[in-house]
Amino acid sequence: MGRILVFLAACFALQAAPFGQTYPLLGEFSDLALDEARSVVYAANFTANRIEVFSTATKTWQTPIRIGIVPSALALAPDGRTLLILNFGSESLFQLDLSTREQRPVAIPPPAVATGVADRPRAVAFGSDGAALLITTTRVLRFDPITGVIDELLANLRPLFGDVPAPQLSGPAEIVSARMAVSQDGKTIFAVGTLNPGLYFAFRYSAPTRDFLFRCSSIVRQPVTSASIAPDGTRYMGGHVLLTETLNPVLAQPQMRVLADFTPTGVLPIQEPPAVPTAPPPNTPAPRPAAVIGGSVFSPDGKTIYASLVDTPGSNEAPLLYVLDADNLTIRQRIRLPERLTGKMISDAAGRTLYAVSEGGLTAIPVSTLSAAALIAVSADTLAFRFDACSKLPATATFDIVHTGGASVDFTLSSSMPGLGFSPTRGTTPARITVSFDPDQLFNVQGTAVGLITITSNASVNLIDPVRVLANLRDTDQRGTVFVQSGQLRDIQIDERRQRFYILDATRNRLLVFGLNDFALQREVRTGHFPLQMALAPDQKTLLVTNAQSETISRINLDTLQQDGVVYCPCSNYPRSIAVSTNATLVTTAVDRALVLQTADNKQVTVTVTEGRMNRVLLDRGEAIQPTTMGVFQNKLSARSLLTATPSGARILIAEDVAADGSVSGVAKVYDADADTFVSARAISAKALKGGAAANDTGLYSAGAVILGSSLTPLAEFQDAPNEHNSLVFFGSQMVRTMKPATGSGPGLISRVDTSTLRSIRPVKLTESPLNLLGDQPLRRTLAATNDGRTFITLSSSGFEVVPGNFDAFIPPAVIRSVTNAATFNPPVAPGSLISIFGDGLASLMTKAGVVPLPTFLADTCLTVNNRPVPLLFLSPGQINAQLPFEITGAATLVVHSPGGVSDAFQFQVPDTAPALFSSNFGDQANPPIPIIFRAFNQEPVTLSNPVRRGDVLTMFGNGFGRVTPALASGAAAPLDALLSTQITPTITIGGASATVLFSGLAPGFVGLNQLNIQVPLDAPLGFNVPLVITAGTLNFQVILPRVAAVIEP
Amino acid sequence: MRIVAVVVLLCGVTSAVWAQTRDRWEVSGQAGVSLYNDIKATGTSPTRAANAGFFDGVAVGAIWTQNGGHHWGGEFHYLFQTNNMRLKGADSTTGQADFGAQSHSFHYDAVLYFTDREARVRPFIAGGPGLKVYQATGQERAFRPLDTIVVFSHDNQVKFMASGGGGVKVRVGRNTLLRFDFRDYVTGIPKGFVTFPGVKFGGQFHNLVGTAGLGITF
């Protein structure tokens, strides 16, 4: 029965996209209360002066309760007998007996000291003590519904301002709106609201102890229309702000776009702060209308937040329900709703159904059936196409579109990327999409073109993330190996002590840990919301990560690779850039400040400006403090400043893109650890700074494109048109910098900087362009180097790019000496076989392919045989291991394209087969190589002490057995679920006795590796050194079995 | 009922025979320890050598004795031994390897007693031919220590065996005796030990077995 219900629910969900159902009713709802005992939702109809009653059982509106007042808020008593109703327009509230429907008004006693503001109720909630906490326009009260007594808990609103200086008030402070939420046990009440100066407040109230915890006020970025609380009372959501137990805010992203940086135009995930206005012109248009923010609800386990956040009212953006991680607001899913949610959202105790105020009435969202609803998932978030000097043929890749419940759901694909094709363009799930890319459409422009495949579906309830397509074209004159990494990568840091490097991903709020030797992802560590920059703490065991959308700095333990607490920044300070010196750890923060400006027609306009502040991190106290000044300088700087310390930690350079007063000139300041103060500040450029910042211990600094001397005197400014400076890094006394095209696409450049002339020397093209410098972070670290300068890593458009330290070294053309069978290091070689090429200068470094299908371009080197690209396994200056394409036979010509140029052609012959077995010498030099033959009996290699026995089944691994059926693409691994047999079946003899060939083909899961399974004949001769001969086609191959023994006796 | 009657009748007949040919036959069970010497396997290089042998083990067996005269007799022995095979590095070669093994020995010894048949204590010496079945039961592995000198092979082999030794029998009752035996069983190298080509064994295995047993005479 249960399965039938699930199936019916799934069918219903499949037919009902978007997700949820709206039950329309005329009026404006100001609040909701769920009465699970009576299976009804009470909705305060603000404009119709009544309480609407919605049956959760029949999903119908019942007879309303007429009350004759303007109901602004509701609260259901814990005993379920009384509903408190606040009267918006008077100093009173109403008690409604839900059994008798009897209404009783309760007058709110006037305050002892008159403030001149009418004391009207704004929010109410019941605590575990049976009393209601009541927020009025001027006070916080406690109402006992049994005795009818109202006590005054807070008569003064000053605590609501926290430690922020009270704003200039034209009159008494007034709470203009407030919302409250209660934890499951009723002990904790969370309140959030707006004060008339344009500030929001938040506090936590403990019902058993009647204690308040206040938090500082801040500028309301969005109006607060709802409050929610985790069931255990440890996290709170007020409007778009998630607050921790200590009431530290973790802002939600104003624009909730998961893949924002995937778009070629680089849509920013956070809004660029407006420039500081000087004076609004006459007839300034009114500020943008307040955004509409729906409510939020925590799941019963407290790990998930369901929230409706809309920051662009009136836009055509579909109404969405966001499914968020409750610790750092990482977006898990975006669910389409039938209409926009505009207010309170509540959930039943089991978390099965959400009820929310929406534009047309009440919307019910059955989140417990979400997993059975039409959710579409895509198997890949990125497809990467690589083209090079050896391979410019159209390439294909595939990805799958599936319905998570296994059902059939429609979808349509679209893309505007030139050269990109896919099939099918529409269909139903499950489906495998074949994507092709024609490199001719890149018009020989080197670098990486980025596009998107957009996936839409009429039936799916979730928004489907687009698939990012990367198409890279490179030649051998470009340097660097590109590693694909999705996400919005914000900072990079090398940790040589642990042979790792770290990258921050602001899309999924995580620290990515990579190995410095293999550049493979080792671990993901959760951070706070929107990690922006990082620095190694003085103990070298902790990584400090600034979370730009919260007031915290994450402490990542580098031994355990787990978040180990946070550092709290001052109220309303959002950390951005951080650097560690031998004396102080400094962090810049962004602070929003309200400016009330007067227009020419005497109208007041409030605008928000974002400013920067310098803070000092006190790690032992877990907090950052804000000094009043930066030494002799004012503590006010660009919020987009970038800090960087010298390697010894003696000084910290502060690079400001523009001056704090708004004038467009780059500024540099220096903090001296010895003097423990800011010792110098200088305007260094007439233009706004853009690029990285770096400092070394010899007294050289780099801020944007400007090189500075020890006294911050500009020594040089790079002029890179048509490129622009991207980042610079010091290693030892040397400098390397990157550049990217100022406009359009291209590969970008990397070059050394001559330390005497301070000019770029020997610039070399990169494989792809360094990462764009975003508007919200024009000063940004995108380049890192190892101390010895052997490896450079730059954030790039696909992810990151590793450039060897000898990127600009002179390399002679490759010289090919022989092409051999990889099993014997002797010719001949066969189609599809693994080959070893020996020569000089074949590659600039030693590396191996880390992916399958094998790449045809690796470490700046590629090969062609008869003009076909050759899949590469291993590269070194003296040897290349590769797979000869299956298509090659007869006369063949090999050419190596390396950083030194194009080699001379090397001629060789390719017979249909060239059988050989791989062997290994496990003993000392006196012993002959042992062929790689395994006994099926014990899965161990055949040796003298593990002899072949008559009747044994043997598995042999070899090379050069020729083409296979069905055909397989060169460079691809043999499938695991199907056997590919050689077109020519070899014959095997052991000591002259014929063995039975059980299988001859490709080893599943491997590229080009042949596998032979045979049964040893019962008449095989016994003894030592018995020859095993393999004959395939016209060629044969002999190995010596160390010993053949009789059938084993029991 | 009929069976009981037959058993009673047979016991009566047997007692009558005992009375006539007392102490002519003897059946004993024995248990003890089994030790082997090591045999050196040497290759072309003197530094490439190993000692092959067996770990110390347990021996259990049975003996059927015929006392033909006052000072002579004959015995048929069966002995089961649990000695795992062993390789140890010799000289500069290091490492040790082992392999599960056991053996079954069958031999006939001529026995010369130093006292009369009626004596309470009867020291004796014994010797004779026999067969020994070596069973190598371990799991073959591709790589073991010393496997470039000698390797183990999961094989059975019957080897001729020479037995020599002595002991003492002590009468403790009318028809019971205790016996203490010591034997040296000499065999060639079983094919459970396989030498690497060019490596040769020098010597033979001496299997020293000491047992204590309990016998009955009739």
Side-chain angles (χ1 to χ4, degrees):
Chain A
M1 188 62 189
R3 288 183 180 177
I4 294 172
L5 287 175
V6 170
F7 174 73
L8 290 175
C11 291
F12 173 79
L14 290 180
Q15 292 164 1
F19 193 62
Q21 178 78 38
T22 296
Y23 301 93
L25 199 67
L26 271 178
E28 295 291 334
F29 298 117
S30 53
D31 201 2
L32 299 176
L34 177 62
D35 185 349
E36 290 199 74
R38 296 177 178 83
S39 298
V40 295
V41 172
Y42 302 110
N45 196 330
F46 188 80
T47 50
N49 299 342
R50 64 192 185 204
I51 304 299
E52 309 288 356
V53 181
F54 178 79
S55 167
T56 59
T58 63
K59 303 284 193 253
T60 56
W61 289 106
Q62 310 289 304
T63 305
I65 305 168
R66 300 185 185 283
I67 52 174
I69 60 170
V70 181
S72 60
L74 303 174
L76 185 65
D79 63 5
R81 292 172 56 183
T82 305
L83 185 68
L84 278 186
I85 307 165
L86 302 192
N87 187 357
F88 184 77
S90 74
E91 292 86 358
S92 65
L93 53 97
F94 279 70
Q95 269 184 284
L96 174 66
D97 188 312
L98 291 169
S99 302
T100 63
R101 297 290 170 101
E102 181 189 345
Q103 302 171 26
R104 189 166 64 87
V106 178
I108 297 174
V113 180
T115 61
V117 174
D119 194 32
R120 290 170 179 162
R122 288 290 175 258
V124 64
F126 275 99
S128 57
D129 56 355
L133 191 71
L134 189 63
I135 296 179
T136 69
T137 47
T138 61
R139 295 180 294 167
V140 179
L141 309 171
R142 180 177 181 274
F143 169 59
D144 188 332
I146 306 297
T147 62
V149 175
I150 295 180
D151 298 321
E152 192 175 77
L153 299 180
L154 273 181
N156 180 4
L157 295 184
R158 181 67 191 87
L160 299 180
F161 293 101
D163 52 4
V164 168
Q168 296 294 322
L169 297 175
S170 55
E174 177 184 351
I175 296 174
V176 293
S177 70
R179 295 289 171 184
M180 285 200 272
V182 190
S183 63
Q184 203 166 38
D185 60 6
K187 292 181 178 174
T188 307
I189 296 176
F190 166 65
V192 63
T194 311
L195 288 156
N196 61 349
L199 304 172
Y200 86 78
F201 68 88
F203 67 75
R204 192 184 75 196
Y205 171 73
S206 170
T209 63
R210 300 189 191 180
D211 289 333
F212 287 90
L213 173 67
F214 294 101
R215 181 63 182 162
C216 59
S217 55
S218 176
I219 290 174
V220 175
R221 296 178 182 220
Q222 310 284 4
V224 177
T225 56
S226 72
S228 59
I229 186 169
D232 62 358
T234 58
R235 284 182 179 271
Y236 325 102
M237 192 91 178
H240 70 305
V241 182
L242 172 69
L243 296 116
T244 60
E245 193 170 12
T246 51
L247 296 181
N248 280 88
V250 178
L251 293 181
Q253 294 175 357
Q255 294 179 357
M256 308 294 274
R257 293 190 177 92
V258 177
L259 302 173
D261 69 326
F262 290 178
T263 57
T265 52
V267 175
L268 303 181
I270 62 172
Q271 291 169 325
E272 198 168 339
V276 179
T278 50
N283 305 317
T284 299
R288 198 177 72 167
V292 177
I293 299 176
S296 59
V297 159
F298 284 80
S299 63
D301 63 4
K303 295 179 179 175
T304 303
I305 295 173
Y306 301 100
S308 175
L309 308 171
V310 182
D311 68 324
T312 50
S315 75
N316 293 325
E317 189 178 336
L320 297 174
L321 178 75
Y322 287 87
V323 184
L324 307 165
D325 286 345
D327 60 344
N328 63 8
L329 293 176
T330 302
I331 301 169
R332 283 191 224 150
Q333 199 65 267
R334 292 170 298 169
I335 307 299
R336 292 198 294 181
L337 296 174
E339 66 176 29
R340 186 159 296 158
L341 308 185
T342 54
K344 181 82 174 267
M345 184 189 295
I346 55 177
S347 165
D348 56 20
R352 293 196 185 95
T353 305
L354 312 181
Y355 301 94
V357 176
S358 58
E359 286 177 331
L362 182 76
T363 295
I365 309 166
V367 289
S368 64
T369 65
L370 195 53
S371 58
L375 292 170
I376 284 185
V378 180
S379 64
D381 62 5
T382 304
L383 297 177
F385 294 97
R386 305 274 177 223
F387 306 99
D388 51 62
C390 300
S391 174
K392 290 183 181 174
L393 299 173
T396 60
T398 61
F399 68 91
D400 296 325
I401 301 178
V402 297
H403 172 250
T404 53
S408 183
V409 179
D410 73 287
F411 67 85
T412 303
L413 307 180
S414 63
S415 177
S416 59
M417 187 180 189
L420 188 68
F422 34 82
S423 176
T425 55
R426 61 179 63 234
T428 55
T429 59
R432 174 155 294 181
I433 310 299
T434 300
V435 182
S436 62
F437 193 88
D438 181 0
D440 286 346
Q441 295 299 313
L442 296 173
F443 300 107
N444 282 327
V445 175
Q446 296 172 334
T448 299
V450 184
L452 291 177
I453 299 175
T454 305
I455 304 163
T456 56
S457 169
N458 292 322
S460 75
V461 301
N462 63 316
L463 286 193
I464 307 160
D465 294 334
V467 176
R468 184 173 61 149
V469 178
L470 306 168
N472 177 262
L473 176 64
R474 68 174 301 181
D475 208 332
T476 52
D477 63 347
Q478 292 172 262
R479 297 289 176 272
T481 304
V482 172
F483 294 81
V484 174
Q485 178 60 55
S486 60
Q488 193 182 128
L489 309 183
R490 286 283 177 162
D491 191 19
I492 182 168
Q493 169 99 32
I494 288 179
D495 180 1
E496 293 205 54
R497 175 182 294 192
R498 296 170 183 83
Q499 286 296 293
R500 300 177 190 147
F501 66 96
Y502 310 112
I503 291 177
L504 293 177
D505 172 16
T507 302
R508 294 182 179 83
N509 301 325
R510 58 187 178 170
L511 172 77
L512 302 168
V513 182
F514 295 89
L516 195 51
N517 296 316
D518 58 3
F519 311 107
L521 181 64
Q522 294 181 342
R523 188 82 80 86
E524 297 178 10
V525 185
R526 293 179 74 82
T527 65
H529 193 45
F530 214 88
L532 197 66
Q533 209 197 336
M534 58 191 149
L536 274 169
D539 64 1
Q540 297 289 308
K541 294 179 180 174
T542 306
L543 192 69
L544 303 172
V545 177
T546 60
N547 301 310
Q549 293 284 80
S550 77
E551 295 178 5
T552 59
I553 299 166
S554 295
R555 305 165 69 131
I556 309 292
N557 185 318
L558 292 175
D559 294 328
T560 63
L561 286 179
Q562 289 182 333
Q563 192 171 168
D564 191 11
V566 294
V567 174
Y568 292 106
C569 293
C571 267
S572 307
N573 278 256
Y574 295 89
R576 292 183 63 85
S577 186
I578 189 167
V580 175
S581 74
T582 53
N583 200 337
T585 297
L586 302 180
V587 61
T588 64
T589 55
V591 182
D592 288 345
R593 194 160 66 87
L595 282 182
V596 180
L597 303 172
Q598 199 146 15
T599 61
D601 53 352
N602 286 333
K603 288 181 181 174
Q604 283 194 339
V605 178
T606 303
V607 295
T608 303
V609 294
T610 301
E611 297 174 347
R613 295 284 185 273
M614 183 64 72
N615 295 260
R616 193 176 180 122
V617 178
L618 306 178
L619 285 171
D620 52 340
R621 285 166 45 180
E623 64 175 350
I625 58 169
Q626 193 170 104
T628 52
T629 63
M630 294 170 58
V632 298
F633 307 105
Q634 188 183 10
N635 189 355
K636 185 179 175 186
L637 64 166
S638 165
R640 294 177 289 191
S641 301
L642 179 62
L643 305 185
T644 185
T646 58
S648 67
R651 289 178 296 279
I652 292 175
L653 172 71
I654 301 107
E656 297 182 57
D657 58 331
V658 294
D661 62 5
S663 59
V664 184
S665 59
V667 174
K669 294 172 182 157
V670 163
Y671 166 84
D672 186 284
D674 191 36
D676 194 20
T677 189
F678 298 85
V679 294
S680 182
R682 189 183 291 271
I684 58 170
S685 172
K687 296 183 294 186
L689 297 182
K690 199 174 177 186
N696 80 353
D697 288 308
T698 63
L700 274 181
Y701 303 98
S702 157
V706 184
I707 297 283
L708 307 167
S710 56
S711 59
L712 295 183
T713 311
L715 302 177
E717 184 162 2
F718 298 116
Q719 305 295 333
D720 297 314
N723 294 305
E724 66 178 12
H725 175 78
N726 190 267
S727 199
L728 183 145
V729 67
F730 288 105
F731 58 101
S733 59
Q734 301 182 60
M735 289 174 272
V736 161
R737 59 188 287 258
T738 54
M739 292 149 271
K740 70 178 295 297
T743 57
S745 57
L749 300 170
I750 184 168
S751 79
R752 287 179 206 282
V753 178
D754 187 301
T755 51
S756 56
T757 65
L758 297 179
R759 291 174 182 274
S760 287
I761 51 174
R762 298 195 298 274
V764 175
K765 289 179 190 169
L766 288 164
T767 301
E768 70 175 18
S769 173
L771 209 53
N772 279 333
L773 298 166
L774 303 174
D776 74 307
Q777 205 182 1
L779 289 167
R780 180 181 188 185
R781 184 164 55 186
T782 62
L783 179 65
T786 55
N787 290 334
D788 57 7
R790 291 178 64 179
T791 304
F792 299 93
I793 306 172
T794 177
L795 300 179
S796 62
S797 44
S798 297
F800 63 90
E801 184 174 355
V802 178
V803 184
N806 62 350
F807 62 88
D808 55 350
F810 170 75
I811 301 170
V815 176
I816 305 168
R817 303 204 182 282
S818 63
V819 177
T820 65
N821 186 316
T824 61
F825 294 157
N826 285 306
V829 296
S833 68
L834 301 175
I835 60 175
S836 291
I837 301 157
F838 293 95
D840 299 318
L842 297 174
S844 56
L845 51 85
M846 184 183 296
T847 188
K848 62 183 179 181
V851 294
V852 173
L854 297 178
T856 57
F857 196 105
L858 194 59
D860 310 328
T861 298
C862 66
L863 283 66
T864 60
V865 176
N866 294 356
N867 293 321
R868 285 185 176 275
V870 177
L872 300 171
L873 272 165
F874 166 82
L875 286 179
S876 71
Q879 180 181 349
I880 293 176
N881 292 344
Q883 185 190 25
L884 191 66
F886 282 104
E887 297 80 3
I888 306 298
T889 187
T893 302
L894 170 68
V895 173
V896 175
H897 298 252
S898 70
V902 181
S903 71
D904 291 338
F906 185 86
Q907 315 286 340
F908 60 105
Q909 288 292 320
V910 181
D912 288 339
T913 61
L917 293 186
F918 285 98
S919 59
S920 182
N921 186 356
F922 294 99
D924 54 36
Q925 291 184 344
N927 302 317
I930 299 172
I932 306 297
I933 302 174
F934 288 83
R935 293 177 68 198
F937 170 70
N938 58 9
Q939 303 292 322
E940 292 197 21
V942 167
T943 62
L944 194 66
S945 62
N946 188 38
V948 170
R949 291 185 180 268
R950 288 173 173 172
D952 264 359
V953 172
L954 302 179
T955 298
M956 300 184 271
F957 292 96
N959 188 31
F961 289 75
R963 296 190 181 92
V964 293
T965 303
L968 182 69
S970 299
L976 296 171
D977 55 355
L979 292 176
L980 305 185
S981 302
T982 54
Q983 291 179 356
I984 297 172
T985 302
T987 59
I988 314 284
T989 61
I990 296 177
S994 293
T996 305
V997 177
L998 305 175
F999 170 70
S1000 169
L1002 289 179
F1006 291 88
V1007 179
L1009 181 65
N1010 286 111
Q1011 180 175 337
L1012 275 175
N1013 295 348
I1014 67 165
Q1015 184 156 31
V1016 178
L1018 293 173
D1019 57 350
L1022 305 180
F1024 296 98
N1025 298 330
V1026 179
L1028 181 149
V1029 179
I1030 303 170
T1031 304
T1034 58
L1035 297 175
N1036 58 43
F1037 177 78
Q1038 174 176 306
V1039 293
I1040 301 298
L1041 298 176
R1043 187 159 68 99
V1044 176
V1047 176
I1048 199 164
E1049 294 179 34
Chain B
M1 190 63 191
R2 184 177 296 174
I3 295 173
V4 173
V6 170
V7 170
V8 170
L9 180 61
L10 285 175
C11 288
V13 171
T14 308
S15 299
V17 173
W18 278 350
Q20 294 170 4
T21 59
R22 183 166 166 263
D23 295 346
R24 178 166 186 188
W25 304 100
E26 178 187 320
V27 176
S28 302
Q30 60 178 162
V33 297
S34 166
L35 314 173
Y36 279 87
N37 67 322
D38 281 340
I39 296 177
K40 191 167 186 177
T42 313
T44 51
S45 163
T47 59
R48 193 157 163 251
N51 287 325
F54 294 85
F55 286 98
D56 297 342
V58 173
V60 294
I63 307 166
W64 179 271
T65 305
Q66 180 189 24
N67 289 316
H70 283 288
H71 290 282
W72 60 268
E75 290 185 340
F76 180 78
H77 284 244
Y78 164 73
L79 195 64
F80 172 72
Q81 297 171 84
T82 61
N83 298 86
N84 288 339
M85 297 158 71
R86 177 178 67 185
L87 283 174
K88 288 195 298 186
D91 302 331
S92 60
T93 313
T94 57
Q96 177 166 306
D98 63 276
F99 199 78
Q102 59 191 27
S103 67
H104 303 269
S105 301
F106 307 89
H107 62 99
Y108 185 84
D109 283 354
V111 183
L112 175 63
Y113 296 98
F114 297 110
T115 56
D116 281 344
R117 188 189 294 186
E118 288 76 21
R120 184 167 178 268
V121 178
R122 301 190 74 195
F124 64 89
I125 57 173
L131 296 172
K132 189 168 189 175
V133 181
Y134 283 102
Q135 293 180 320
T137 58
Q139 180 75 39
E140 287 174 338
R141 296 276 178 218
F143 307 104
R144 289 182 193 275
L146 306 167
D147 61 1
T148 58
I149 305 169
V150 177
V151 296
F152 300 115
S153 185
H154 187 132
D155 282 310
N156 300 342
Q157 190 181 16
V158 179
K159 303 289 288 185
F160 285 110
M161 183 178 79
S163 164
V168 62
K169 296 178 182 179
V170 180
R171 187 179 296 278
V172 294
R174 177 180 166 81
N175 295 105
T176 58
L177 59 86
L178 287 175
R179 59 179 295 164
F180 301 92
D181 287 74
F182 173 78
R183 291 287 190 284
D184 178 8
Y185 300 120
V186 183
T187 65
I189 313 296
K191 67 178 183 181
F193 292 102
V194 177
T195 54
F196 203 82
V199 176
K200 286 191 169 51
F201 280 120
Q204 299 204 318
F205 276 125
H206 289 269
N207 178 199
L208 306 178
V209 178
T211 61
L214 180 65
I216 58 172
T217 60
F218 49 91

